[in-house]
Amino acid sequence: MRSLSRVVGVVVAGLFALAPAASFAATSADPGIVDVERRERLSAEEARRLERGETIARDQTWERGDSRYVGGLTYTVVDTSVAELTSVIEDVSAYRRVLPRTKQARLVGVDGPDRLVEVVQGNALVEASYTLRIRTEAAAPSGRREFRFWLDPSRPHGIDDAWGFFRLEPFIGHHGEPRVLLTYGVVVDIGSGIVRDLFEERIRSALLSVPQLVRRYVAEVRRTY
């Protein structure tokens, strides 16, 4: 299995630019999220930061008519295997711990390859509920796994749109231990109004905190073994 330096060099662990879901027709084959590969890679310094346990974050914002998408891309290293991290992402009961400000998450159905998960998030001032479609892609020969998610507009939703992905790329640490380069991309259109005006950057910051929450949760679960 590859080292982190090799993974960083080939994952376009580099930069996958996100394009607003509204730009593409959603079909059963195309869930409305498209990764456009831009041949940019993480730098050697960013790879060293990942080795030190830091998270690399790149903010992204789009405006399209009245819609405004905020979010970005993050990269972080998790001390676990792809199989263990996959079990966390597939465990809906873990979402309250790994998704920020999450009050409730429950599986409400299955539609073909998609799991439907209802999420309620917020604080004492603001609360929103919506349903995500989550699709697990087939594993790559390298062991890479990918999970895509997007808002189901046919169900009640307190935000206008949301979509993103988790990408898990395995590699071997310095002492032979399994590790994962976790790439996480997300954008959300929270709608117009006072919530956007007052809380947009706080919401972006919360969105991009997911990899750290995942890493913390995995570490806690491993300590219980």
Side-chain angles (χ1 to χ4, degrees):
M1 195 178 292
R2 294 166 293 178
S3 65
L4 177 59
S5 60
R6 290 190 63 193
V7 169
V8 165
V10 299
V11 168
V12 190
L15 187 57
F16 277 81
L18 301 174
S23 302
F24 303 91
T27 68
S28 59
D30 173 8
I33 171 175
V34 175
D35 294 342
V36 181
E37 184 176 344
R38 297 169 53 192
R39 297 284 178 179
E40 301 177 22
R41 299 181 176 183
L42 291 170
S43 67
E45 173 56 28
E46 287 174 323
R48 287 191 288 269
R49 288 174 58 192
L50 287 171
E51 285 279 17
R52 294 196 297 265
E54 298 181 35
T55 295
I56 308 299
R58 293 182 172 134
D59 295 354
Q60 296 191 359
T61 302
W62 294 278
E63 292 188 9
R64 184 180 180 86
D66 293 331
S67 298
R68 179 177 171 86
Y69 290 83
V70 299
L73 284 164
T74 62
Y75 307 90
T76 197
V77 169
V78 184
D79 292 320
T80 189
S81 66
V82 165
E84 288 175 321
L85 193 48
T86 292
S87 68
V88 170
I89 295 174
E90 292 182 336
D91 181 8
V92 175
S93 67
Y95 288 10
R96 289 187 62 185
R97 299 286 303 280
V98 302
L99 300 181
R101 303 288 186 180
T102 299
K103 298 181 177 182
Q104 178 180 304
R106 64 189 185 98
L107 182 68
V108 295
V110 177
D111 183 11
D114 305 331
R115 293 183 302 143
L116 307 179
V117 177
E118 183 183 71
V119 179
V120 180
Q121 292 175 303
N123 54 30
L125 297 176
V126 180
E127 184 177 284
S129 62
Y130 53 91
T131 299
L132 291 175
R133 286 182 171 265
I134 303 175
R135 181 174 298 178
T136 303
E137 304 291 346
S142 66
R144 185 180 73 187
R145 298 300 304 271
E146 187 162 301
F147 305 84
R148 295 172 179 264
F149 58 87
W150 63 99
L151 181 139
D152 186 337
S154 69
R155 294 172 176 258
H157 49 284
I159 59 177
D160 285 5
D161 200 6
W163 48 275
F165 67 89
F166 290 89
R167 185 175 296 121
L168 286 53
E169 186 78 19
F171 69 98
I172 294 297
H174 293 307
H175 304 291
E177 72 280 12
R179 307 184 80 188
V180 176
L181 175 62
L182 171 61
T183 305
Y184 170 68
V186 62
V187 289
V188 172
D189 178 7
I190 59 176
S192 59
I194 192 169
V195 173
R196 174 192 290 175
D197 295 340
L198 295 179
F199 299 110
E200 179 177 280
E201 287 308 314
R202 293 186 188 181
I203 291 171
R204 186 202 304 275
S205 178
L207 290 170
L208 299 185
S209 72
V210 168
Q212 294 98 308
L213 296 176
V214 169
R215 187 167 58 189
R216 184 183 308 164
Y217 179 80
V218 169
E220 291 175 358
V221 169
R222 289 196 129 200
R223 283 197 294 268
T224 65
Y225 292 160

